[in-house]
Amino acid sequence: MKGFTSSLWPIRYKPLPDELLSSWLVRLAHGHGMKAQPFCNAIFGPGLQVWNRDIDRLAPEWLIQELCDRTGTTLQAASATTLRVYEGFLYPVFRTTGTLKWIQTLQMYHRKRNGFGLQFCPQCLRESSEPYFRKSWRVAYNTTCLKHQCMLHDRCSKCGASVAFHRLNMGQSSSLRIESLATCHQCGFDLRRANTTPIVTYNSQTTAWHRILCIKTLSGHLQRDPVSLDAMNVMHHVIFMLSSRYSRVRLKEYVCEQLNVADMTLTPGYPSFESRPLAERHHLIQLMAWLMIDLEPRLRVAWRAKAIRYNLMFKDFSDAPDWYLNIVEGFSDWRRDANG
Ligand SMILES: [Zn+2]
Ligand SMILES: [Zn+2]
């Protein structure tokens, strides 16, 4: 542990473009020839648990400050590795518990991850001399890689385990070689070798719309303005309506018919959009995009076709913006006319 007592560490990697805090921290551990867990125990002491929580989201101040002090990184650059940068853009206000809109859940259980909350692009991993994981891979609507025009993955394609590079080499003695972050912690598969699949496209317009949405998440494009946040909330509600399973309500099937695509059965049990597998999210996003492209007439026609119940358009949507309420309230005139 010699060298750790001086204020700067021998290895002082800085965060790479769009890098996640956990990725940066594990790279630092590996750079010092250590596994993630013993490294954090040595730095923070066994009393401060790092890996039993979603540190990219919670990002405790003591952890960020320590990394800044020991690597000479600015507080701004270190803070930019956390999912808090999406505050005011993807979700209104940061909070430590509950679901954050559009942020994928890891479903932590002790140090294990039961959810598939971290995605990756094999080609992006392959491209950098040192593979690392991006913040935007935690955003639930990012199901594709803009750069490589391919689908992302949300699990090891060999054994199906979630991505959890902090668990690499956990059962092995410290003398063993430290694997790259692109190694599956469970089976050792090199995630860079996962197949590259072209983007699944239902309709050129919806794919183009989705692409623009993904560009907005890239660093440097984040705009904290209430107009985009309103749109994000409406998009989220449209997905809620698509995945609702009330009897006689079949908006999802209806949109699939309009797009002439096969529907997909969703995981039962009402999981949040943020904890759904990648294929389900990608399906729902494209259906949502089709509605969003021309929301008023498409939602109206869907409602007239009895593909959606009127109340569902408001249900649990307390932060609905006025423009959305105007659209839906406009239908009530139709409803009166239809009943009269
Ligand atoms: Zn890529
Ligand atoms: Zn595996």
Side-chain angles (χ1 to χ4, degrees):
M1 300 310 295
K2 202 163 175 289
F4 286 141
T5 45
S6 72
S7 69
L8 286 172
W9 287 334
I11 303 294
R12 298 191 280 273
Y13 301 147
K14 304 293 184 289
L16 295 166
D18 196 38
E19 186 167 20
L20 264 179
L21 174 62
S22 55
S23 170
W24 180 36
L25 181 53
V26 175
R27 277 197 311 114
L28 282 164
H30 290 189
H32 288 95
M34 294 177 78
K35 295 180 285 184
Q37 188 75 32
F39 180 75
C40 288
N41 284 345
I43 303 305
F44 306 111
L48 288 175
Q49 285 294 316
V50 172
W51 298 111
N52 60 352
R53 61 181 95 195
D54 182 352
I55 56 158
D56 298 317
R57 173 173 173 179
L58 298 174
E61 211 179 305
W62 49 263
L63 194 150
I64 299 285
Q65 194 57 56
E66 186 77 11
L67 291 184
C68 288
D69 295 347
R70 303 303 193 132
T71 63
T73 304
T74 64
L75 187 59
Q76 192 187 14
S79 304
T81 64
T82 77
L83 297 171
R84 204 170 174 146
V85 295
Y86 297 124
E87 181 176 34
F89 173 72
L90 296 181
Y91 53 84
V93 183
F94 178 80
R95 52 201 167 94
T96 50
T97 54
T99 308
L100 283 182
K101 270 183 193 171
W102 304 113
I103 299 294
Q104 289 185 246
T105 52
L106 299 177
Q107 298 169 53
M108 301 292 297
Y109 182 72
H110 298 293
R111 288 194 300 258
K112 286 187 178 166
R113 292 177 176 181
N114 291 337
F116 299 94
L118 175 56
Q119 313 173 94
F120 64 93
C121 164
Q123 292 204 66
C124 282
L125 290 178
R126 218 178 292 158
E127 246 174 32
S128 37
S129 54
E130 200 180 356
Y132 70 99
F133 286 79
R134 276 68 162 176
K135 254 190 339 266
S136 51
W137 291 346
R138 290 285 311 269
V139 176
Y141 60 66
N142 283 337
T143 49
T144 62
C145 174
L146 289 172
K147 188 174 182 190
H148 299 107
Q149 288 296 298
C150 62
M151 299 299 296
L152 298 180
H153 290 251
D154 68 349
R155 63 199 69 195
C156 169
S157 44
K158 193 173 175 200
C159 78
S162 58
V163 176
F165 43 75
H166 65 288
R167 294 175 62 82
L168 276 171
N169 312 84
M170 246 175 70
Q172 300 164 4
S173 82
S174 54
S175 60
L176 286 177
R177 193 169 67 91
I178 302 266
E179 309 278 4
S180 97
L181 263 67
T183 311
C184 169
H185 75 280
Q186 187 165 277
C187 76
F189 180 67
D190 188 339
L191 301 175
R192 290 172 291 194
R193 289 174 50 219
N195 284 339
T196 302
T197 324
I199 294 175
V200 176
T201 299
Y202 290 173
N203 168 303
S204 57
Q205 275 190 325
T206 58
T207 301
W209 192 93
H210 182 208
R211 184 179 164 78
I212 292 168
L213 177 65
C214 296
I215 290 172
K216 285 171 182 275
T217 325
L218 295 177
S219 302
H221 290 75
L222 288 182
Q223 289 174 359
R224 279 171 190 75
D225 71 81
V227 177
S228 346
L229 192 58
D230 282 348
M232 287 289 170
N233 287 337
V234 172
M235 284 158 41
H236 205 268
H237 190 71
V238 170
I239 286 180
F240 163 76
M241 294 192 288
L242 284 163
S243 30
S244 287
R245 298 194 305 139
Y246 292 97
S247 57
R248 301 201 316 278
V249 173
R250 44 179 197 93
L251 183 62
K252 184 162 69 77
E253 290 86 337
Y254 169 85
V255 177
C256 286
E257 281 165 21
Q258 306 307 306
L259 282 164
N260 199 20
V261 294
D263 194 15
M264 183 183 289
T265 308
L266 301 180
T267 307
Y270 305 104
S272 68
F273 177 70
E274 291 78 5
S275 52
R276 289 193 180 279
L278 187 137
E280 291 182 22
R281 279 184 285 111
H282 190 68
H283 182 64
L284 288 167
I285 284 163
Q286 292 201 72
L287 308 189
M288 176 270 282
W290 182 81
L291 284 164
M292 289 298 293
I293 285 169
D294 214 356
L295 188 63
E296 197 279 334
R298 288 182 179 173
L299 197 56
R300 173 162 40 83
V301 175
W303 169 68
R304 298 275 287 170
K306 297 195 177 358
I308 181 160
R309 213 172 56 182
Y310 190 71
N311 290 350
L312 196 61
M313 294 190 253
F314 298 100
K315 188 178 156 49
D316 299 332
F317 196 12
S318 54
D319 49 359
D322 285 345
W323 59 264
Y324 173 82
L325 294 175
N326 287 338
I327 287 178
V328 178
E329 277 160 10
F331 300 165
S332 62
D333 298 334
W334 286 75
R335 191 156 68 151
R336 197 179 50 230
D337 295 348
N339 292 337

